[in-house]
Amino acid sequence: MTDPAAPPASNRALAARVWRDYLKPRWKGLAVSIVSAAIVAWLSVSLARIIEPAIDKLITHPQPGALVTIPLTIVALAVGRGVFQVIQANFINRIGNGVVGDVQVQLFGKLVRSDLARLRSGHTGGYVASVLYDAGLIREASTTGVINYTREFLTVLGALVVMFQLDPVLAGGVLVLAPLAGLIMGRFSRKTTKAAKGAMGETSNLSTAIMESLDGIKIVKMENREAYEEARVAAVVDRRQRHLIKGSNARAMAAPATETFTTLIIAVVFVYAGWRAQSGQMTAGVFFAFLTNLLMAAQSLRQVANLQTVFSEGLTAARRLFSALDVEATIIDPPGAAALPAGDCAIALDGVSFAYGEGAPALIDVTLKAGRGETVALVGPSGGGKSSILNLIPRFYDVTAGAVTIDGHDVRSVTLASLRDRIALVTQEPFLFDDTIRANIAYARPSAAEDEIEAAARQAAAHDFISDLPLGYDTLVGEAGARLSGGQRQRIAIARAFLKDAPILLLDEATSALDTESEAQVQAALERLMAGRATILIAHRLSTVKGADRIYVIDRGRVVETGTHAELVRHKGLYARLAKAQDLDHLPPGLEEGATA
């Protein structure tokens, strides 16, 4: 796990890791691209170099045969350069998209395996920005950036070699002035880099703002807050645009500044060339060849300067990516963990305490149990800790004290896969994937046969409404099941649990969001599902827990009462007061007096 206090990795370390993780496996294609880039640079310099004989032998001092050989040479060089440019582009596109794919899959895989606490503490928009935006920046820097840098750098070197061949004195003078151009480009490059980093941060904020607004669109509309949300997103867009504009302005200013400096150098070259030409020491061919190479070198230097921003963005994205990849999950299989042995799957919490992060304890010394064939209910005021108990059984979180056991085996000592294979979960808002009904029912058992899926749907009282749909089990449910009613979504979730056939069943307010008719259908399906399983259910409607074998009343993280419905009503404690508040018609005489005492 990454140490938060550790200093950030150096750019060299980040580049080395990008090479090791993403480029080294593709080194052959990368080598072909680099060689192609080098050949393109050499051919570009060769085209500039041929200007001298072209002018001298075709115009100044025409020579026999030059009218054929020189044009053919130019055509051959141009065609060759085009061919190798295509080869370079094809390989680098394949490598670049492969890198993006690896980054996106790796990052998503890390996130989907992360601790629930980490996912709950972060913003989904930031993760989406990392998956989509950062991956592209890493690709640009590690593939296109590297290849283009190689090509432009070799072009500059080649142009300098030709310039020294043509006129060493003039080339030396230009080389002395070159660092000044580098300083100018470096200054603007730093500005664009700073702006790019700011834009990257605001891109994550923009993703988060948009996703939050759309996820909560019902509340937005109900509270007439469309204008507010639009203004909130607009503020993020404005901040992002300010960074983008600063970067664009810096790049826009860099070009004329560099071109102006280059023009001054060219003016000096003209003066020097004119002075040399007067004494017959420089031909027109040499002059134009030198000037062409100088302009080509200047253009390549500008490209090199622009690539500094690409590298900076890529390294910044890599730093964010690796910081996400390096956070190791804490809810993992312990060394040497064995699968949970077959058994009755009796659940027990023994002196369990738990807190979310550094916050106040959510559970304090909780002890309860549920055996096979038993139904245990958790009731009590909202925020008392009921959902926290359910979260500890499949190890979404780990206890801070005490132990959760199944058939006497601490859940922290067995493999997560075997533990969760024994548990089915049905929640108040069941989640369905944007896929077919068949795929959603068979999500836990993708290899299930058609008759098994249909049998599970019948048990969940879902088969009839599914059959009435135009496409039946092949009906797409829409995002989060939006094309189905709440009761239909709940029955599909129950069918999923039937098909999984796990011996432990966790129900979290499974009927509280339904209308009366849907609740009756779902409740009947749940009763069939609970038969023969160790069931722990959370309910606010006490009418749904009257038949529970045991009821645990949870308040402020503690078990304050335990018993059957009748026992707890006679006890005249918190449960009795809750029952009275819900006007349960079976309250025994005398409860009202005891409840108000």
Side-chain angles (χ1 to χ4, degrees):
M1 187 171 182
T2 302
D3 181 3
S10 66
N11 287 345
R12 179 177 296 181
L14 289 171
R17 185 168 175 183
V18 170
W19 160 256
R20 183 185 70 243
D21 292 352
Y22 305 115
L23 297 180
K24 189 176 180 180
R26 301 175 171 87
W27 72 268
K28 293 181 180 178
L30 191 64
V32 172
S33 296
I34 290 176
V35 170
S36 298
I39 293 174
V40 169
W42 175 73
L43 292 173
S44 297
V45 172
S46 298
L47 279 169
R49 181 69 178 85
I50 205 172
I51 288 177
E52 178 199 0
I55 292 176
D56 289 343
K57 295 180 181 180
L58 289 176
I59 300 174
T60 307
H61 303 292
Q63 294 183 8
L67 192 59
V68 175
T69 58
I70 290 178
L72 286 177
T73 301
I74 292 174
V75 169
L77 291 172
V79 171
R81 184 174 66 172
V83 168
F84 282 100
Q85 284 175 327
V86 171
I87 293 173
Q88 171 197 317
N90 286 342
F91 274 91
I92 209 63
N93 286 338
R94 188 181 309 159
I95 293 170
N97 286 298
V99 168
V100 168
D102 284 356
V103 169
Q104 291 174 335
V105 171
Q106 192 177 18
L107 182 58
F108 177 76
K110 191 72 172 185
L111 292 174
V112 80
R113 289 176 173 81
S114 294
D115 294 338
L116 199 61
R118 181 194 172 199
L119 295 175
R120 291 288 182 264
S121 65
H123 285 293
T124 305
Y127 295 145
V128 172
S130 291
V131 171
L132 300 180
Y133 188 61
D134 290 355
L137 295 177
I138 293 172
R139 175 197 63 192
E140 287 299 313
S142 63
T143 56
T144 305
V146 169
I147 300 304
N148 289 348
Y149 190 93
T150 300
R151 186 186 64 223
E152 302 302 339
F153 182 73
L154 291 177
T155 299
V156 171
L157 287 181
L160 286 173
V161 169
V162 172
M163 288 160 63
F164 271 100
Q165 290 175 347
L166 294 170
D167 194 312
V169 175
L170 186 55
V174 170
L175 195 59
V176 169
L177 296 174
L180 295 176
L183 290 174
I184 294 174
M185 290 185 291
R187 179 182 179 186
F188 290 111
S189 178
R190 286 189 293 273
K191 289 184 177 181
T192 55
T193 299
K194 182 179 179 181
K197 289 180 179 178
M200 288 170 64
E202 293 301 340
T203 298
S204 294
N205 295 335
L206 180 60
S207 298
T208 298
I210 291 174
M211 293 185 69
E212 281 183 342
S213 297
L214 295 180
D215 286 345
I217 192 64
K218 287 185 179 179
I219 300 300
V220 172
K221 289 182 176 297
M222 181 59 65
E223 307 304 334
N224 295 316
R225 297 287 277 173
E226 292 94 339
Y228 169 79
E229 292 299 326
E230 183 179 4
R232 188 165 72 98
V233 170
V236 181
V237 170
D238 182 63
R239 292 197 303 268
R240 182 172 182 268
Q241 285 185 335
R242 284 203 296 269
H243 289 296
L244 293 174
I245 290 170
K246 286 180 181 179
S248 298
N249 287 345
R251 285 191 293 271
M253 293 170 63
T258 306
E259 289 171 3
T260 300
F261 187 79
T262 302
T263 304
L264 295 177
I265 294 178
I266 291 173
V268 174
V269 170
F270 269 98
V271 172
Y272 176 82
W275 172 69
R276 294 268 287 170
Q278 288 178 359
S279 59
Q281 296 178 357
M282 178 175 285
T283 65
V286 169
F287 170 71
F288 281 109
F290 189 97
L291 187 61
T292 301
N293 278 276
L294 175 61
L295 293 173
M296 186 169 60
Q299 176 63 27
S300 293
L301 278 175
R302 282 197 295 272
Q303 294 299 324
V304 168
N306 290 335
L307 287 170
Q308 299 301 321
T309 300
V310 174
F311 289 139
S312 180
E313 290 177 345
L315 290 171
T316 301
R319 184 172 281 109
R320 294 205 309 181
L321 168 72
F322 292 142
S323 67
L325 292 178
D326 289 343
V327 177
E328 297 295 339
T330 58
I331 309 295
I332 58 175
D333 291 341
L340 179 64
D344 289 336
C345 288
I347 307 165
L349 275 69
D350 184 13
V352 165
S353 295
F354 170 69
Y356 292 97
E358 301 299 325
L363 298 174
I364 304 170
D365 196 26
V366 171
T367 297
L368 59 82
K369 61 182 180 178
R372 185 146 197 165
E374 287 188 325
T375 297
V376 168
L378 308 179
V379 302
S382 297
K386 301 182 296 296
S387 294
S388 296
I389 292 174
L390 252 57
N391 284 334
L392 294 176
I393 296 170
R395 283 194 73 197
F396 291 151
Y397 300 87
D398 272 342
V399 301
T400 52
V404 178
T405 63
I406 295 178
D407 290 337
H409 300 280
D410 193 317
V411 295
R412 293 168 294 183
S413 67
V414 299
T415 61
L416 281 169
S418 67
L419 170 65
R420 292 170 182 173
D421 275 345
R422 309 294 174 84
I423 302 172
L425 173 66
V426 181
T427 62
Q428 178 180 356
E429 291 291 340
F431 186 86
L432 301 184
F433 294 90
D434 189 6
D435 205 336
T436 64
I437 291 177
R438 176 185 291 102
N440 273 284
I441 293 175
Y443 190 74
R445 285 182 55 200
S447 60
E450 185 70 25
D451 59 340
E452 293 178 303
I453 295 173
E454 184 175 321
R458 289 183 184 276
Q459 287 283 82
H463 177 73
D464 290 344
F465 88 77
I466 294 173
S467 299
D468 289 339
L469 297 171
L471 297 179
Y473 284 84
D474 291 320
T475 300
L476 292 172
V477 302
E479 184 178 356
R483 296 174 186 169
L484 302 177
S485 70
Q488 290 172 335
R489 289 196 299 270
Q490 195 67 286
R491 279 176 278 169
I492 289 175
I494 294 171
R496 180 191 295 164
F498 266 114
L499 186 62
K500 187 174 184 179
D501 196 24
I504 296 174
L505 178 62
L506 305 179
L507 304 176
D508 188 358
E509 295 285 352
T511 61
S512 64
L514 303 178
D515 57 70
T516 303
E517 181 179 357
S518 296
E519 181 182 3
Q521 292 177 314
V522 170
Q523 189 63 44
L526 286 174
E527 289 174 1
R528 291 192 294 272
L529 179 60
M530 289 187 288
R533 308 178 199 275
T535 302
I536 298 181
L537 64 91
I538 295 174
H540 280 107
R541 295 182 188 176
L542 301 188
S543 59
T544 64
V545 304
K546 289 184 296 184
D549 296 288
R550 251 181 334 280
I551 300 171
Y552 292 89
V553 183
I554 313 297
D555 186 24
R556 299 179 183 179
R558 298 179 183 273
V559 176
V560 295
E561 294 179 305
T562 307
T564 64
H565 172 79
E567 291 170 345
L568 292 173
V569 168
R570 286 195 297 269
H571 186 259
K572 299 180 181 180
L574 174 58
Y575 183 88
R577 292 195 294 273
L578 294 173
K580 179 185 178 183
Q582 295 185 23
D583 292 326
L584 296 187
D585 57 9
H586 57 280
L587 298 178
L591 171 63
E592 292 186 0
E593 291 78 4
T596 56

